[in-house]
Amino acid sequence: MVNESSFLTMHNLQRRKENSEEYLIGRTDESNFVILPNIAIEIIDLYDQQLTTSDISKIMQERGIEVDVLDFAENLVNDLQFVYKVDGVIINDVVEDKSHFKNLSPTVSRLLFSNFAYFIYILFLLVGMCICISNTTFIPTYQDIFVFDSISSSIIFATLLGWILIFKHEFAHLMAAKSLGINSRIGLGHRLVFPVVETDMSNIVLLPHNKRYRALLAGMAWDGALFGIGVVFLLLNTIGIEMNIVLLNIIKLINLHCVLAIAFQFMFYLETDMYYVFTTYFKCNNLLHNTRLYIRKLTKRISKEQTIELQNIDQYEKKIMQKYVWFYLLGVIWAIGIFIIVSIPALLKFLSIAIMKALHSNILSIAFWDALIFIAISSIPTGILIYSWIKTWKSNRVSNRPISLD
Amino acid sequence: MKIVAKKVEKVKA
């Protein structure tokens, strides 16, 4: 479809200088970015000046640069999808901006994620931790999940509150990204065998590395601050300011959720918040993907294209990858092991008990609806996981299909 | 010389 006489019209491409030899460049509507050498950026700029592939090849030859412009043009069209039109025909259409809360005030966002705000959040977390160290009865335990005497009511309440707290965590990311001028989108996904809610703020790579932490740590900052405030309330209750027992139980449940939420982020063999902090600090552009390629190489399941991709990784990132791979393998084995040995049997056991209870109860009885609600709640995470697996599988199938003008 | 693009991963908190 692309030939020597082709004119290419690019999408609106944003770029950032990565180092003296390379640029990061990509489409903000699709949030797909790559690192390209300076010569590739020059070629894109020449296409923007309405030159044909042949014209650009001649310019490169005159400058003594041996570069396959036609091959790069095909890459721009098919793999990178940076090209909007070839010879006036739309090849890769513009994608509608689907980011959430676009009208959120950047001023309020900047206020809530300023350096001073972060100081307050960390202060609350440290106060909470100090109180817990001095009095270990404030440390959350799994018993804290039971807010009410009724187990079913407690599980329903914990689930509803859990979803509010999950949204609060993701909204913090979205707001902090907004304070940096980056629009984001909240959606459902998975990390290996864990169903997750995620905030896609991929355009953040256009910012210098040291500017990104504010958005990457925002969710944990709010979790930590909320935990600290909760512990202070529990302390106040013990020194004379008595509170309602249900309110106290709700505070304990919030504290439990916050601690588990922060712990989850440290599973950095998955793409969690701490993984992104790690890769941002070490300036790795695609650590997890490259690690998986490296494992494919070790297990001799690597294709020719993947071998070329692996060879082109920076030496610096390769060194980090060769250490990270062991964390990744151990983490994956642990997670899949827990999933098979604990999660699936526990889910099946509870579901079978609930189904038997529902089958042996009158449809108008509390026991029947109690069992039904439990089944529905248990199915939500599993449903998200299956939905996300199917979505990823479909997306991989589409991305492997070449683009055609036919 | 063929130009090789290095992919940058998406950032999803």
Side-chain angles (χ1 to χ4, degrees):
Chain A
M1 107 173 70
V2 182
N3 55 47
E4 292 289 351
S5 60
S6 294
F7 290 98
L8 305 188
T9 309
M10 300 293 163
H11 277 280
N12 176 20
L13 301 176
Q14 299 286 315
R15 63 182 75 170
R16 176 178 61 77
K17 196 172 176 64
E18 183 78 356
N19 52 52
S20 61
E21 296 169 357
E22 296 171 315
Y23 271 85
L24 179 141
I25 186 166
R27 285 170 61 178
T28 52
D29 61 340
E30 281 253 287
S31 298
N32 61 336
F33 295 90
V34 292
I35 306 279
L36 285 172
N38 291 344
I39 190 69
I41 303 298
E42 280 188 54
I43 292 171
I44 289 172
D45 287 342
L46 290 169
Y47 273 121
D48 282 341
Q49 292 169 28
Q50 300 296 302
L51 296 180
T52 65
T53 306
S54 170
D55 296 336
I56 297 169
S57 295
K58 278 177 195 161
I59 290 171
M60 293 296 150
Q61 278 170 1
E62 284 166 8
R63 289 169 55 186
I65 300 168
E66 283 291 322
V67 59
D68 191 339
V69 178
L70 184 60
D71 176 75
F72 180 53
E74 285 171 348
N75 261 341
L76 284 170
V77 172
N78 293 310
D79 300 337
L80 304 180
Q81 303 189 355
F82 286 178
V83 176
Y84 177 42
K85 291 177 181 173
V86 175
D87 298 328
V89 178
I90 294 175
I91 299 296
N92 298 301
D93 214 341
V94 178
V95 176
E96 185 193 351
D97 181 5
K98 290 180 178 173
S99 52
H100 291 141
F101 301 102
K102 276 180 275 196
N103 298 326
L104 206 64
S105 161
T107 311
V108 174
S109 303
R110 276 195 289 270
L111 199 67
L112 283 171
F113 291 96
S114 61
N115 289 343
F116 178 71
Y118 258 100
F119 170 75
I120 297 292
Y121 300 149
I122 292 167
L123 190 66
F124 272 124
L125 173 63
L126 290 175
V127 166
M129 286 170 72
C130 288
I131 293 170
C132 284
I133 290 166
S134 63
N135 186 343
T136 54
T137 58
F138 293 132
I139 297 173
T141 69
Y142 265 93
Q143 297 303 313
D144 295 338
I145 207 164
F146 301 110
V147 171
F148 309 110
D149 292 335
S150 157
I151 292 176
S152 292
S153 303
S154 295
I155 286 178
I156 292 165
F157 183 80
T159 302
L160 294 175
L161 186 68
W163 278 93
I164 292 168
L165 293 172
I166 287 170
F167 180 75
K168 176 266 305 168
H169 178 102
E170 296 308 322
F171 193 70
H173 284 300
L174 188 138
M175 215 172 186
K178 185 78 180 175
S179 77
L180 297 165
I182 302 293
N183 283 334
S184 315
R185 177 179 171 78
I186 296 174
L188 299 172
H190 70 275
R191 296 289 178 276
L192 205 63
V193 293
F194 301 104
V196 297
V197 180
E198 57 188 17
T199 303
D200 188 341
M201 46 185 185
S202 297
N203 290 348
I204 203 168
V205 296
L206 286 166
L207 299 177
H209 290 81
N210 60 353
K211 299 265 186 195
R212 301 177 198 172
Y213 296 112
R214 186 194 293 186
L216 296 175
L217 291 167
M220 291 172 75
W222 276 16
D223 289 337
L226 191 59
F227 168 75
I229 293 167
V231 173
V232 168
F233 271 106
L234 295 181
L235 178 68
L236 290 175
N237 180 66
T238 60
I239 57 172
I241 304 170
E242 284 203 22
M243 292 179 212
N244 177 294
I245 185 72
V246 173
L247 179 63
L248 274 177
N249 286 345
I250 291 171
I251 292 171
K252 286 179 182 176
L253 175 61
I254 291 172
N255 285 357
L256 173 67
H257 184 100
C258 289
V259 167
L260 290 173
I262 291 171
F264 175 75
Q265 302 303 342
F266 279 88
M267 294 163 74
F268 89 128
Y269 54 88
L270 306 172
E271 288 157 301
T272 54
D273 296 358
M274 283 310 290
Y275 164 81
Y276 291 118
V277 169
F278 178 85
T279 55
T280 300
Y281 182 78
F282 286 105
K283 297 188 177 176
C284 298
N285 286 310
N286 208 351
L287 182 62
L288 200 62
H289 172 79
N290 293 337
T291 300
R292 285 170 180 157
L293 285 184
Y294 182 59
I295 291 168
R296 278 182 169 274
K297 185 191 169 196
L298 292 177
T299 54
K300 302 188 190 312
R301 295 184 305 121
I302 193 163
S303 70
K304 191 182 168 188
E305 290 82 5
Q306 289 169 333
T307 304
I308 293 167
E309 195 178 347
L310 195 60
Q311 283 167 350
N312 280 288
I313 300 168
D314 289 335
Q315 286 304 316
Y316 170 75
E317 188 161 334
K318 268 185 185 169
K319 280 182 182 172
I320 292 171
M321 183 181 76
Q322 284 162 356
K323 291 191 177 84
Y324 175 79
V325 69
W326 300 109
F327 282 100
Y328 176 75
L329 282 172
L330 286 172
V332 166
I333 291 166
W334 178 83
I336 292 176
I338 289 286
F339 185 67
I340 292 170
I341 297 164
V342 179
S343 300
I344 292 178
L347 181 67
L348 292 177
K349 185 184 175 187
F350 284 123
L351 277 179
S352 62
I353 291 169
I355 289 166
M356 291 306 287
K357 192 176 166 185
L359 289 174
H360 291 96
S361 304
N362 186 310
I363 197 165
L364 296 174
S365 68
I366 289 175
F368 176 82
W369 289 100
D370 189 61
L372 208 64
I373 289 169
F374 181 82
I375 292 166
I377 282 175
S378 304
S379 305
I380 293 170
T382 314
I384 292 171
L385 193 60
I386 292 167
Y387 158 78
S388 183
W389 277 344
I390 291 170
K391 193 175 72 172
T392 305
W393 177 70
K394 279 184 176 174
S395 159
N396 288 343
R397 279 185 65 195
V398 170
S399 63
N400 289 334
R401 196 181 298 158
I403 292 167
S404 166
L405 274 173
D406 300 334
Chain B
M1 175 188 82
K2 286 185 188 293
I3 291 170
V4 178
K6 288 184 265 188
K7 289 176 190 167
V8 175
E9 70 187 340
K10 291 191 178 255
V11 179
K12 295 181 178 181

